[in-house]
Amino acid sequence: MKERLQAIKDQALAQINSSDTLEKLNEIRVNILGKKGELTSVLKSLKDVAPEDRPAVGQLVNDARAAIEEVLDAKKKEYEAKLREAKLKAETIDVTLPAKKPMLGHRHPNTIALEEVERIFVGMGYEVIEGPEVEYDYYNFEALNIPANHPAKDEQDTFYINSNIVLRTQTSSVQVHEMEKGKLPIRMIAPGRVYRSDEVDATHSPSFHQIEGLVIDKNVTFADLKGTLAEFVKELFGSETKVKFRPHHFPFTEPSAEMDVSCFKCGGSGCRFCKGSGWIEILGCGMVHPNVLKMSGIDPEEYTGFAFGVGLERIALLKYEIDDMRLLYENDTRFLKQF
């Protein structure tokens, strides 16, 4: 038994010293000291040794195990140190190289356009007012002179939560809330997200943004509306921009109009951008309908006002010459980095 143990020990030490990788060391450990290893099989055979000789044989087995494990551990530490040194050499950091610059976000084209519009109107003395996107049908339609059987309801294909609650189709509802407060005069714009059941294409989306404006005061006329909007578009598109008003119909204004601006690309001479007409449609406007004033508790004999509404995406598309509204919402950094 002693000779066998010595042979196992000598063989194990020779294999350990001749090994050149951690994988081979692990194979030796398993072959000698594992559950089915040679030294373990010797321990299992102690039952065949005479009882009086078992302590001595057991001690020899433990001594052999200790000697093998000591050499194994020393060899393992040697290899690990060499691997660590090689890894450190391979992963040397050149501190003289320039650092990687972090990617910083920036404002979205819609946000840039909105902030510019807000700056212009705040400069004219307007307030920026926000309101709920989930709105009562009354504020979204009826208080704006659009009763239950009005065709305008069909045109907007509203998203209804129930028969009385809708996702607002226009931020004009914010104007009604403000008028009901009774704090006159009013000079406000109401930017925000609105919802309509439109098919997604280059110029339409079921979710988009509007900026509605409202002025209520004594002796307000259409001339005030025209002067205000003319000044607005000159600030937005350039001092040479001209305006043109075309008769239109909106239930909440009377008279109503669509406003065009002279093409800021060609100066009105006609180009691809304005489709050869020299004019670009930009917003709807008009004098606040007397019924709307009455329903909000304002005397139309004493107060008059004007209102207007423009799509924020339309301003961004025109100002930055973007030909597809979907680009604003696809989060393609190649597109957004341009702004």
Side-chain angles (χ1 to χ4, degrees):
M1 179 69 72
K2 185 176 180 180
E3 291 77 10
R4 184 182 174 191
L5 283 172
Q6 187 62 44
I8 292 172
K9 178 181 174 182
D10 293 343
Q11 180 186 2
L13 295 178
Q15 290 177 351
I16 291 169
N17 290 324
S18 63
S19 65
D20 54 3
T21 64
L22 285 172
E23 288 76 12
K24 287 185 179 179
L25 273 182
N26 191 52
E27 288 179 12
I28 295 168
R29 183 186 293 275
V30 172
N31 292 335
I32 304 299
L33 305 177
K35 289 183 179 180
K36 297 181 181 179
E38 294 183 44
L39 205 58
T40 307
S41 65
V42 173
L43 276 173
K44 290 179 180 179
S45 65
L46 281 178
K47 64 181 183 295
D48 300 327
V49 178
E52 62 274 11
D53 296 331
R54 286 177 187 173
V57 175
Q59 185 62 46
L60 289 171
V61 172
N62 289 335
D63 290 344
R65 173 183 286 275
I68 294 170
E69 285 182 342
E70 183 180 355
V71 177
L72 271 171
D73 290 341
K75 201 72 173 176
K76 181 181 179 183
K77 288 178 182 178
E78 180 185 336
Y79 285 142
E80 286 178 343
K82 288 181 179 179
L83 285 171
R84 193 179 304 112
E85 184 179 353
K87 190 175 182 182
L88 287 171
K89 287 181 179 179
E91 295 180 357
T92 301
I93 299 173
D94 185 352
V95 295
T96 65
L97 289 173
K100 291 182 179 179
K101 293 183 179 180
M103 290 184 63
L104 297 177
H106 57 82
R107 294 174 301 165
H108 189 275
N110 275 356
T111 304
I112 298 171
L114 175 60
E115 288 179 353
E116 187 165 0
V117 171
E118 288 180 345
R119 177 188 61 79
I120 295 169
F121 279 105
V122 168
M124 293 182 186
Y126 285 60
E127 287 185 272
V128 179
I129 308 293
E130 295 183 349
E133 294 182 15
V134 181
E135 187 59 273
Y136 285 105
D137 180 273
Y138 171 80
Y139 288 101
N140 195 76
F141 291 116
E142 291 185 30
L144 293 169
N145 205 34
I146 305 175
N149 60 350
H150 200 284
K153 277 196 168 186
D154 296 330
E155 291 175 3
Q156 295 191 25
D157 289 333
T158 313
F159 292 105
Y160 276 86
I161 306 301
N162 57 41
S163 59
N164 296 317
I165 299 176
V166 301
L167 297 183
R168 68 182 181 190
T169 61
Q170 54 209 359
T171 57
S172 301
S173 57
V174 182
Q175 299 174 353
V176 178
H177 286 291
E178 202 65 19
M179 286 190 289
E180 284 187 343
K181 292 178 182 178
K183 296 178 181 179
L184 302 173
I186 297 172
R187 287 176 178 82
M188 62 167 285
I189 59 170
R193 189 187 300 272
V194 298
Y195 305 86
R196 297 184 187 179
S197 185
D198 288 334
E199 294 289 338
V200 176
D201 59 29
T203 56
H204 294 86
S205 171
S207 175
F208 57 100
H209 298 79
Q210 273 193 339
I211 305 171
E212 304 271 356
L214 175 69
V215 171
I216 303 289
D217 205 345
K218 294 180 180 180
N219 303 316
V220 175
T221 67
F222 203 97
D224 298 308
L225 167 62
K226 181 178 179 181
T228 299
L229 295 181
E231 188 64 27
F232 163 59
V233 296
K234 285 179 181 179
E235 284 286 327
L236 189 64
F237 298 118
S239 59
E240 301 301 317
T241 307
K242 297 180 177 62
V243 297
K244 178 175 70 174
F245 291 83
R246 293 177 287 105
H248 197 71
H249 169 73
F250 297 110
F252 32 82
T253 54
E254 181 60 39
S256 305
E258 291 274 12
M259 189 184 85
D260 301 338
V261 296
S262 56
C263 181
F264 40 85
K265 188 74 173 173
C266 65
S269 59
C271 66
R272 180 191 64 83
F273 197 66
C274 60
K275 299 178 181 177
S277 68
W279 296 91
I280 300 172
E281 179 186 321
I282 189 170
L283 57 80
C285 59
M287 300 301 293
V288 179
H289 199 291
N291 288 348
V292 174
L293 294 174
K294 286 179 184 177
M295 283 186 282
S296 296
I298 299 174
D299 183 0
E301 297 295 327
E302 184 177 2
Y303 288 94
T304 54
F306 64 78
F308 57 88
V310 58
L312 176 60
E313 284 82 359
R314 181 157 184 78
I315 291 177
L317 293 178
L318 291 173
K319 190 167 181 63
Y320 302 115
E321 299 184 28
I322 304 168
D323 57 8
D324 194 325
M325 180 177 173
R326 289 168 290 192
L327 290 169
L328 295 172
Y329 298 109
E330 290 177 346
N331 294 326
D332 189 332
T333 55
R334 294 171 300 177
F335 169 76
L336 295 175
K337 280 180 180 177
Q338 299 175 67
F339 304 92

